[in-house]
Amino acid sequence: MIKVKKRKFLLLPGDGIGPEVVGEVKKIIHWFNKNKSLDFEIDEGLAGGVSYDKHGTPITDEVFYKALECEAVILGAVGGPKWDHVEFSKKPERALLKLRKELKLFANLRPAICFKQLVDASTLKPEIVSGLDIMIVRELTGGIYFGEPRGIKPIDNGERKGINTHTYTTSEIQRVSRVAFDLAKKRKNKVTSCEKSNVMEAGLLWREEVQQLHDKEYKDVELNHMLADNCAMQLLRNPKQFDVIVTDNLFGDMLSDQASMLTGSLGLLPSASLGAKNKDGKVRAMYEPIHGSAPDIAGKGIANPIATILSFAMALRYSLDLDKEADNIENAVQDVLNDGLRTKDIAEKDKKEVSTKEMGDAVISKLK
Ligand code: NAD
C-alpha cells in the first residue's frame, strides 16, 4: 500500500503559461512555511508536452507514482500547437486523462464566482452576476465519455454509424451526489441536480438515486431537480438562484464552461478534482486552473496567476482541512483586486497592468 506523505504537494507546471502561474503558487507555499511554521513539502515533475519532449511520453511512471504518494497534485496546464502532430496516445492531454482515471478523480468541482470588483468583465448585466457564487459538481469518470459500446462502424447501406453509450450505476451517482450534499452543508445548503430524465433512462435513474440518497442521509439539505437544458437557460436568466449544482459528465462539461463565462475571465477560476478515499482515509485530489496553457501569451510574463493561486487555496481547504489558511489566500486575492491591481486579461482602460510576478507578490503582501 502506498503511504501518502503528509502535506506534500506535487507541482506539475506543464506547458505554456503553466510554469509561470505555478511559480507564483510556489512562492505562496514558501511564505506559509516561513511565516506560519507550516511544513509543506514540494515535489515537482514533468507532465504534458514538456514530458513528451524529454521522455517521449506525456507522463512517466515515476511522476505518476509521485502523484499517488502526495497529498495533492497542483497542475498548471498542458498542451499547445507544438504537439498537434503527436499521435493521439502521446498527446499532452493524455497526462491529464491518466491522472484523472488512475487517481479515480470522479468529482470535478468548479466554482463560478463573480468578483464584485470585476462585474464589468461579464457579458451579463452587473445586477445579474454581482456577488455570484455557484459550485458546479461534475461527475468526471462515467457517463457517455466512457460508456461501452463505443466506436464508429460501417453499416449495411454503405453508411457509417457512430456509437457512444450513456451509462450510470447507483454507486457512481450516489458518490458524486454525496460530494455535492457535503459541500452544500458548508455553503447555502441547497443542491440542484440536473439531468434529462424526461428523455433518458439514465437521467431518470440519476434523479431517483439522488432523491433516495437525499431522503436517507441529507434530509436537512434543500434538493431541487432540474432538466439540464432548463439549467443552461436559468444560468443566464437568474444564476444567483443556484448554490451547488450536481450533474453528469456530459452536461457538467457544458454547464461548467457556461457558468465560468458568467464571471468574465478564465484567469480567475480554480477547480478541484476529488477521488475516492484510499486506505488511509485520504481523498486523492488534483487542483488546477480552468484555463489552458495559453500559448499566445506564454513566456511574456503577463498571465494571470489568480486561478492557480485559488486552486491552491482549494487544495488547502479540501485536501488538508486548512480552512483558515484557504480563507487567508482568498481574502488576499480580494484585497489585491480591491486595490485595483489587474493583469492584462482583466485590465481596465487606461489603468496600469501588472505582470504575473507582480500579481503573485501583491497577493503575498496581503497574506495575514
Ligand atoms: P486557453 O485557456 O489556454 O486560452 C484561451 C484564451 O484565454 C487565450 O487568449 C489565453 O491567452 C487566455 N488565457 C487563458 N488563461 C489565461 C491566464 N491565466 N491569464 C491571462 N489570459 C489567459 O485555451 P485554448 O487557447 O483553447 O487552449 C490552449 C491549449 O491549452 C490547447 O493545447 C488546449 O488543449 C490546452 N488546454 C489545456 C487544459 C488543461 O491543461 N487543463 C485546459 C484547456 C485547454
Side-chain angles (χ1 to χ4, degrees):
M1 186 182 73
I2 291 168
K3 264 246 173 264
V4 173
K5 186 115 198 277
K6 207 161 183 310
R7 294 167 186 270
K8 186 173 183 177
F9 295 104
L10 174 64
L11 305 186
L12 301 177
D15 307 316
I17 60 169
E20 298 166 51
V21 291
V22 171
E24 298 311 302
V25 167
K26 230 194 288 185
K27 282 162 41 179
I28 291 180
I29 295 177
H30 289 313
W31 185 92
F32 273 104
N33 280 346
K34 188 164 164 230
N35 295 283
K36 297 283 169 186
S37 304
L38 291 170
D39 55 348
F40 295 148
E41 271 184 53
I42 299 178
D43 202 350
E44 274 193 66
L46 297 180
V50 279
S51 174
Y52 175 81
D53 287 348
K54 186 150 188 217
H55 303 292
T57 173
I59 184 163
T60 60
D61 286 348
E62 190 197 341
V63 173
F64 175 66
Y65 282 114
K66 283 183 180 184
L68 287 178
E69 282 168 17
C70 69
E71 191 97 24
V73 178
I74 314 284
L75 182 107
V78 296
K82 184 179 173 197
W83 301 281
D84 278 352
H85 67 282
V86 170
E87 74 167 90
F88 193 70
S89 67
K90 303 238 157 102
K91 282 206 178 291
E93 290 76 8
R94 302 305 293 179
L96 268 186
L97 295 180
K98 176 163 174 153
L99 286 165
R100 281 182 189 159
K101 183 159 175 254
E102 302 294 334
L103 301 182
K104 301 190 174 57
L105 304 177
F106 64 83
N108 183 226
L109 276 50
R110 283 199 21 188
I113 304 158
C114 187
F115 295 95
K116 62 180 185 308
Q117 305 88 337
L118 296 169
V119 280
D120 293 334
S122 172
T123 49
L124 296 192
K125 292 185 191 133
E127 64 268 27
I128 302 284
V129 289
S130 178
L132 181 75
D133 180 2
I134 307 178
M135 178 71 84
I136 300 205
V137 180
R138 166 189 169 193
E139 201 289 328
L140 203 58
T141 52
I144 199 156
Y145 293 163
F146 293 92
E148 297 283 347
R150 63 186 297 156
I152 300 176
K153 65 175 189 183
I155 49 176
D156 294 345
N157 60 0
E159 293 186 20
R160 296 187 304 153
K161 191 179 193 175
I163 304 158
N164 290 92
T165 305
H166 184 68
T167 150
Y168 272 108
T169 61
T170 299
S171 55
E172 284 175 326
I173 298 166
Q174 292 205 345
R175 67 181 180 178
V176 72
S177 308
R178 193 167 268 119
V179 171
F181 285 126
D182 286 338
L183 275 171
K185 281 178 153 188
K186 293 188 181 171
R187 297 168 47 97
K188 296 188 203 111
N189 213 32
K190 182 174 168 187
V191 170
T192 306
S193 168
C194 296
E195 26 58 20
K196 287 285 285 175
S197 55
N198 53 340
V199 286
M200 294 165 77
E201 284 78 1
L204 184 58
L205 181 82
W206 183 282
R207 182 175 286 225
E208 289 174 358
E209 295 296 349
V210 175
Q211 186 67 49
Q212 257 186 36
L213 178 70
H214 170 267
D215 296 350
K216 220 164 108 195
E217 294 179 33
Y218 293 98
K219 270 214 173 89
D220 50 335
V221 180
E222 184 185 341
L223 170 66
N224 302 296
H225 300 279
M226 192 178 271
L227 298 177
D229 49 344
N230 185 23
C231 181
M233 256 180 348
Q234 296 297 333
L235 275 172
L236 293 180
R237 200 183 68 83
N238 177 19
K240 283 191 259 182
Q241 69 184 283
F242 297 109
D243 178 22
V244 176
I245 295 175
V246 61
T247 188
D248 72 24
N249 205 343
L250 174 66
F251 297 134
D253 196 356
M254 294 175 200
L255 294 173
S256 60
D257 265 16
Q258 188 189 338
S260 64
M261 274 293 97
L262 299 173
T263 70
S265 172
L266 279 175
L268 294 171
L269 293 177
S271 80
S273 300
L274 308 181
K277 284 188 179 148
N278 64 20
K279 285 185 185 142
D280 292 342
K282 277 278 160 205
V283 171
R284 296 214 191 283
M286 181 158 81
Y287 299 85
E288 56 185 312
I290 68 159
H291 60 72
S293 58
D296 52 333
I297 57 165
K300 296 187 179 161
I302 57 170
N304 189 343
I306 289 180
T308 316
I309 290 172
L310 292 176
S311 300
F312 178 63
M314 286 184 93
L316 296 181
R317 194 181 296 286
Y318 297 118
S319 283
L320 298 180
D321 284 329
L322 292 176
D323 285 343
K324 225 171 62 207
E325 285 73 8
D327 288 346
N328 194 356
I329 295 176
E330 287 164 4
N331 292 336
V333 167
Q334 290 281 0
D335 286 350
V336 166
L337 294 176
N338 279 337
D339 284 355
L341 259 74
R342 303 283 186 267
T343 42
K344 193 177 174 57
D345 55 313
I346 50 172
E348 288 160 26
K349 209 164 165 261
D350 301 329
K351 291 244 173 91
K352 182 178 171 325
E353 292 165 16
V354 298
S355 69
T356 308
K357 285 198 165 76
E358 285 168 328
M359 183 57 103
D361 290 341
V363 171
I364 288 173
S365 76
K366 299 285 183 186
L367 289 170
K368 304 225 159 65

